[in-house]
Structures are given as structure tokens and as C-alpha cells.
Amino acid sequence: MMYRKFFKRMLDVLLSLIAIPFLLLFICIFGPIIYLEDRGPIFYKAMRLGKGGKPFTMYKFRSMKVNAPDIRNEDGSTYNSDDDPRLTRIGRFLRKTSLDEVPQLINVLLGDMSLIGPRPDLVEQMKYYEKGDERKLEVRPGITGYNQAYYRNAVPWKQRIQHDIYYIDNISFWLDVKILFKTVISVLKHKDVYVEQKKAG
């Protein structure tokens, strides 16, 4: 209980501060490439659901072309696929390596997110919540989490919510350590990056 209420946030801040130099390095490396490909912004800013359902602005490296259309799956989640024509060349690489998520270290320092927790949903997805699903909003969303470590994007959104609730019911220092190491392994293997779902419309 002490870990969940106090030490988890303390570790988030400490580890994020340590990682900030790497974020700055990635900005220097990928920023010019992202910009030069189509003269668009380096960062993508999107509204997401935070702890208690409070919306916040989440930061990512932009992986899609400027003014790319918004395509959703039938469950309201964002559509993603390896052959998505909206992706830029550098964006496809950033997605596969999960490096597009690195700017969320800023969100962790701001207190919007945790290093480890449920991935934040789109604000509009709240209307698709069924009884009990809102429990995933009991904690700060994470840069990575139980789903990303063990399944990445290979399971449907509703199943991810059940995994999120399992995580919330079992939060511990050792579970977070296991998730962190498992995430690194999953990213290095480029496994289950995309989930194929039927597009809405």
C-alpha cells in the first residue's frame, strides 16, 4: 500500500529525471528527421483520459503525415496497422520500436502519467465503457503497462481493460519491475506491435 500511494510516484519522478537527457538526445536525433520528411511538427499532442477520468494532453513523437485522417476501430480505439498509409517512413520505425512514446516522460514529470500503468484511453472512449470498466481510471495511466509488456497490441481493447484492472488489483514494486523488463524484451523482439481490427464506418 505504501508503494502504491507514495513510493511509486517517487520512483516515477526520480527515473524520469534520470531519463530526460535521453529524451533530449532523441529529440536531437529524430526531431529533424520527422520535420524534414513533410515539414510538420515534431510532436503529436492528443487528449487522453487520466486518473479519475480527468483529460490531459499526452505527448508523442509524430508518426503520421500532417493532416492524416482520424480512423477508429469499431470499439472507438485508434486504428493501427503495419500498412497504415498515414504513417511516415520515420513514423513506422518509431512505432515499431515504441520510441514514439518517449516524450511521455514529460507527462510523468507533470504528474499526468506514471512510468507503469494502464495505457490511457481516448476521451471519447469513455462512452464505450461498460460496468466496471471505469476502474482503470483509479490510477495514473502509464507509458507502459501489463498489456504492453505481455501482449502489446495483440488483444482487443476490451480485453486490455480487464488486464488493466488485474494490474490495479495487484500493484506492487516487483510487478512493476517484471513489467518493465518484459516490456524491454517485447520491444526488442518487435512482437505484436499491431492489432488488426475492423475499421468503423
Side-chain angles (χ1 to χ4, degrees), residues 54-141:
K54 181 181 177 181
F56 71 96
T57 302
M58 186 182 75
Y59 299 96
K60 300 177 74 171
F61 283 127
R62 182 173 60 87
S63 59
M64 290 190 181
K65 298 171 184 175
V66 175
N67 298 321
D70 187 14
I71 303 176
R72 303 290 175 84
N73 295 309
E74 289 184 333
D75 60 11
S77 60
T78 52
Y79 173 78
N80 67 63
S81 172
D82 188 35
D83 60 357
D84 191 337
R86 299 174 300 164
L87 290 173
T88 60
R89 285 172 295 177
I90 184 62
R92 185 168 280 106
F93 169 77
L94 292 171
R95 284 276 188 93
K96 280 191 174 182
T97 57
S98 294
L99 289 173
D100 59 323
E101 312 284 359
V102 174
Q104 287 158 42
L105 289 167
I106 298 168
N107 290 115
V108 175
L109 288 174
L110 292 174
D112 298 322
M113 295 179 69
S114 175
L115 291 173
I116 298 170
R119 283 298 293 166
D121 286 331
L122 298 160
V123 174
E124 314 88 270
Q125 279 183 282
M126 187 177 275
K127 67 183 178 184
Y128 295 101
Y129 281 10
E130 297 174 350
K131 187 176 180 180
D133 289 351
E134 70 281 353
R135 284 205 57 212
K136 76 167 291 181
L137 303 176
E138 290 178 5
V139 299
R140 289 184 181 90

